Amino acid sequence: MDTTLLDLQHITQTFHRPEGRDLKVLDDVSLSLKEGEIVGLLGKSGSGKSTLLRIIAGLISPSTGTVTFNGMPVSQDALGIAMVFQTFALFPWLTVLENVELGLEALGVAEKEMRGRALEAIDLIGLDGYESAYPRELSGGMKQRVGFARALVVNPAILLMDEPFSALDVLTAETLKTDFLDLWVEKKMPLKSVLLVTHNIEEAVLMSDRILIFAANPGHIAAEIKVDLRYPRDRQSAAFTAMVEQIYTLMTSGMQKRDVTAAAQRAEVTMYDKLPRVSPNQLAGLMEELAAPPYNGRADLPALDQALGLGTEEILHLIEALRLLKLAEVAEGDIQLTPLGKMFADAGTQKRKMIFAEHLIQNIPLAAFIYRVLQSRPGHQAPRIRFLTQLEDNMAEEDAEEALSAVTSWARYAELFAYDDNAEMYSLENPSA
Ligand code: ADP
Ligand code: MG
């Protein structure tokens, strides 16, 4: 089990943007895939996971660093490496069979062989009988099975999976994961190794032999965890939940030095840091929940995640926001309300707004900045574009929009300043103050 199939050394990726600063998305990423293993790459959205997969597949070349597959540099038509996408990426005007055959067309396989192999792949992945159906006639789960068949039909040695289950409902995703693992364990696929990108901790623990924890800004591997559990894995087992817990702790303990969460701990958030887009009502709801029994101010994160059922990524965003606002702290896999967080939870609406406004000004530089600009302008008004342009010059476009939306919704709740959606104008709620 020690044969290295794929090897990445010191990969960095910087995107050059026509205006504003260049964006460094990956920083010194080294990893290898060995024969017989499923490796999970676990990280939040925007951390550069898809970019890394595109580099491995030879679709883009990295700014620096090398990718070798079987000891050879990977090129554009990386034979032996196939990919499954989150969005299925099927052609609507082609049938299931034709979509799968497409995987082979580029390889110049003879028509008859192409058909035979496509039918085999369709059969293997459980789509028998759907050969002449069109994508629109299929459920999400079936569509993704086509995605798998199209990847597997080329007999790849390595399968790259980019959040392949995250667009599916929970039950459908579960079935597909189990089916895939059965095929893997029984060696029914020609695959030698799998790289699974996900933002779901349970999914990573369910499927991987090794988990690489990917941290953001810029993307880098922050930790590696071996999962020594036999397939099929039992989510209810003590070993499984302990592993999920351990990863939670790693992902929330501030070990991700370059993350905004860690920046928040050091009280160094700048105007250009990413902000999680969560609604103030959800934040308030979470604080109430935390303050009340059985938690009484402190909760085990995985237990809280289970109890709320919002999804791990959502919870991580909410917690990040509470930490940034200094309304809660995270330690050893637990979240704990700060004294002011407790006060907030116990307060009535007006007092809550005051506490929130105060925390926004003190801890979120972007909120303070917008507030100051509005104060300094004669009419106490400014268009959205005024702030968006400045943010976009200094951070990724998506992140800029997201940060501005987050601050806007928080400030509205706190009545710190107002925003008119139609006019796209900010104004002070109470200019005389
Ligand atoms: P993930 O898959 O982890 O969600 P991505 O790799 O898709 O992350 O994106 C990471 C960052 O790189 C994002 O901020 C995204 O906007 C940026 N990015 C991705 N591709 C490009 C590109 N071609 N040009 C500029 N920025 C890009
Ligand atoms: Mg992605």
Side-chain angles (χ1 to χ4, degrees), residues 252 261 264-265 283-284 286-288 290-291 297-299 301 304 315-331 334-345 355-356 359 363:
T252 50
T261 40
Q265 267 190 335
L283 286 176
L286 178 57
M287 279 191 279
E288 275 170 31
L290 276 171
R298 184 178 180 120
L301 282 172
L304 186 70
I315 292 283
L316 288 177
H317 280 151
L318 284 165
I319 289 167
E320 194 164 300
L322 287 185
R323 286 179 49 158
L324 285 168
L325 288 159
K326 304 232 169 24
L327 292 165
E329 287 163 353
V330 174
D334 283 4
I335 177 165
Q336 182 164 19
L337 288 178
T338 59
L340 265 163
K342 275 209 195 75
M343 194 189 281
F344 178 97
I355 295 175
F356 210 81
H359 275 55
N363 300 308

Side-chain angles (χ1 to χ4, degrees), residues 4-239:
T4 296
L5 279 176
L6 182 82
D7 190 50
L8 274 66
Q9 289 293 329
H10 309 295
I11 298 292
T12 62
Q13 179 66 41
T14 302
F15 288 116
H16 299 289
R17 295 184 302 151
E19 289 155 52
R21 287 199 305 219
D22 286 349
L23 182 67
K24 192 173 198 183
V25 173
L26 297 173
D27 184 25
D28 197 17
V29 177
S30 298
L31 65 88
S32 62
L33 281 185
K34 297 187 180 64
E35 202 163 323
E37 64 175 357
I38 299 180
V39 173
L41 189 72
L42 179 62
K44 286 185 273 192
S45 56
S47 57
K49 304 182 301 297
S50 293
T51 302
L52 188 65
L53 283 195
R54 290 213 297 278
I55 288 171
I56 297 176
L59 298 173
I60 52 177
S61 49
S63 306
T64 64
T66 56
V67 183
T68 49
F69 172 52
N70 282 330
M72 304 281 283
V74 165
S75 62
Q76 180 111 38
D77 45 1
L79 284 178
I81 302 181
M83 182 126 96
V84 178
F85 302 90
Q86 177 182 0
T87 52
F88 321 136
L90 305 179
F91 292 97
W93 57 85
L94 298 182
T95 64
V96 167
L97 181 65
E98 288 162 344
N99 265 291
V100 175
E101 282 179 345
L102 211 61
L104 288 172
E105 224 147 71
L107 303 183
V109 176
E111 195 143 332
K112 201 165 152 219
E113 187 193 337
M114 196 153 83
R115 177 119 325 168
R117 280 172 67 174
L119 289 171
E120 243 172 70
I122 285 169
D123 208 14
L124 180 76
I125 207 72
L127 279 171
D128 205 9
Y130 288 89
E131 293 82 0
S132 51
Y134 286 90
R136 64 167 183 278
E137 303 173 77
L138 303 177
S139 66
M142 293 297 227
K143 281 186 195 140
Q144 190 54 301
R145 282 176 197 264
V146 181
F148 273 96
R150 189 180 52 199
L152 292 172
V153 74
V154 301
N155 290 338
I158 291 177
L159 185 64
L160 307 174
M161 306 208 273
D162 195 356
E163 310 206 26
F165 310 109
S166 62
L168 306 175
D169 66 81
V170 177
L171 291 179
T172 305
E174 218 40 53
T175 317
L176 193 49
K177 285 176 209 175
T178 313
D179 287 356
F180 180 84
L181 282 175
D182 286 347
L183 292 173
W184 169 257
V185 171
E186 290 164 19
K187 297 193 164 43
K188 296 233 170 89
M189 300 177 287
L191 293 177
K192 292 191 174 139
S193 183
V194 176
L195 184 60
L196 167 69
V197 161
T198 178
H199 62 250
N200 181 318
I201 298 176
E202 282 218 341
E203 179 177 308
V205 176
L206 183 75
M207 302 192 67
S208 320
D209 295 288
R210 258 193 311 143
I211 297 173
L212 305 174
I213 297 181
F214 208 62
N217 301 322
H220 61 282
I221 295 170
E224 175 175 337
I225 292 177
K226 211 164 161 37
V227 188
D228 267 326
L229 303 171
R230 287 228 303 232
Y231 301 106
R233 292 174 178 166
D234 175 9
R235 286 168 194 272
Q236 310 300 331
S237 75

